């Protein structure tokens, strides 16, 4: 078993939204625990604070953003080659910690408290524990937790992440 720290940049948007959005640049940071099964396979659990969301188009001169702060927990099956290149995939659960948006856009809560998704990625980890990685997180559950006769709330999170990490 090994432990590590991870940080990086997010580029997120809403998939299947019936309102116009652009991607939002955010971040993620936290720790990880890796359970080695054999020389090539391991299970990695991460605990990351992550800023996701989207920029709204056509609202207030395109300056309004919906920022959703999550505590994400991906559980990944990780396959590492002899050269240090790895591939990873698995489920992710996220708990909403905070919302940051103009409250005139919705009456009450904007997003649901829990979000579920799947993730897949690849990267490189050197023998000294330093690594880089990239992954895509596809939301499986609807994000919206508001009632509207104008806008549907069945959109999902869609996030690309690039990270640097160090495993002790």
């Amino acid at each position: 078993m090994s432990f590590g720290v991870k940080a990086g940049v997010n580029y997120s948007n809403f998939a299947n939204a019936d309102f116009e959005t652009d991607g939002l640049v955010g971040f993620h940071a936290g720790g990880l625990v890796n359970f080695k099964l054999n020389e090539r396979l391991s299970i990695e659990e991460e605990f990351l604070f992550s800023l996701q969301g989207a920029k709204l188009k056509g609202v207030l001169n395109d300056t309004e953003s919906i920022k959703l702060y999550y505590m994400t927990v991906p559980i990944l099956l990780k396959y590492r080659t002899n050269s240090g290149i790895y591939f990873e995939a698995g489920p992710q659960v996220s708990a909403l910690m905070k919302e940051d948006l103009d409250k005139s856009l919705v009456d009450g809560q904007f997003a649901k408290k829990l979000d579920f998704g799947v993730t897949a990625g690849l990267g490189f980890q050197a023998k000294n524990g330093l690594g880089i990685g990239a992954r895509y997180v596809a939301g499986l559950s609807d994000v919206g937790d508001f009632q509207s006769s104008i806008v549907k709330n069945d959109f999902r999170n869609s996030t690309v992440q690039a990270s640097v990490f160090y495993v002790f």
Side-chain angles (χ1 to χ4, degrees):
M1 183 165 56
S2 55
F3 300 90
V5 292
K6 175 179 251 188
V9 63
N10 293 345
Y11 183 77
S12 62
N13 206 338
F14 296 135
N16 197 39
D18 68 349
F19 50 94
E20 289 191 59
T21 62
D22 275 335
L24 177 72
V25 176
F27 67 92
H28 61 275
L32 61 91
V33 179
N34 188 284
F35 303 94
K36 193 173 182 180
L37 301 174
N38 62 37
E39 287 302 312
R40 298 202 188 273
L41 268 164
S42 64
I43 296 175
E44 186 164 288
E45 187 172 7
E46 299 175 353
F47 304 91
L48 303 172
F49 186 74
S50 180
L51 168 59
Q52 298 169 204
K55 292 180 186 175
L56 296 177
K57 290 177 72 174
V59 178
L60 303 174
N61 297 323
D62 295 337
T63 60
E64 183 62 39
S65 295
I66 298 171
K67 296 178 180 176
L68 305 174
Y69 297 87
Y70 288 100
M71 178 56 67
T72 65
V73 182
I75 300 172
L76 307 166
L77 182 63
K78 201 167 189 176
Y79 177 81
R80 188 178 355 259
T81 66
N82 284 337
S83 65
I85 295 172
Y86 68 83
F87 304 92
E88 62 186 8
Q92 175 173 295
V93 63
S94 303
L96 183 68
M97 306 302 284
K98 178 184 170 190
E99 297 180 336
D100 185 7
L101 69 145
D102 183 349
K103 287 299 181 179
S104 68
L105 296 174
V106 292
D107 185 24
Q109 188 78 17
F110 176 80
K112 293 180 181 174
K113 295 290 185 186
L114 287 177
D115 186 54
F116 299 96
V118 293
T119 183
L122 57 97
F124 173 79
Q125 182 178 342
K127 292 188 188 297
N128 67 3
L130 190 60
I132 58 170
R135 70 170 63 140
Y136 176 67
V137 183
L140 297 177
S141 57
D142 296 340
V143 173
D145 194 22
F146 57 88
Q147 299 298 320
S148 172
S149 59
I150 301 168
V151 180
K152 293 180 184 176
N153 65 1
D154 62 350
F155 51 92
R156 294 176 304 282
N157 281 312
S158 176
T159 307
V160 175
Q161 296 180 323
S163 307
V164 295
F165 62 90
Y166 180 72
V167 177
F168 314 126

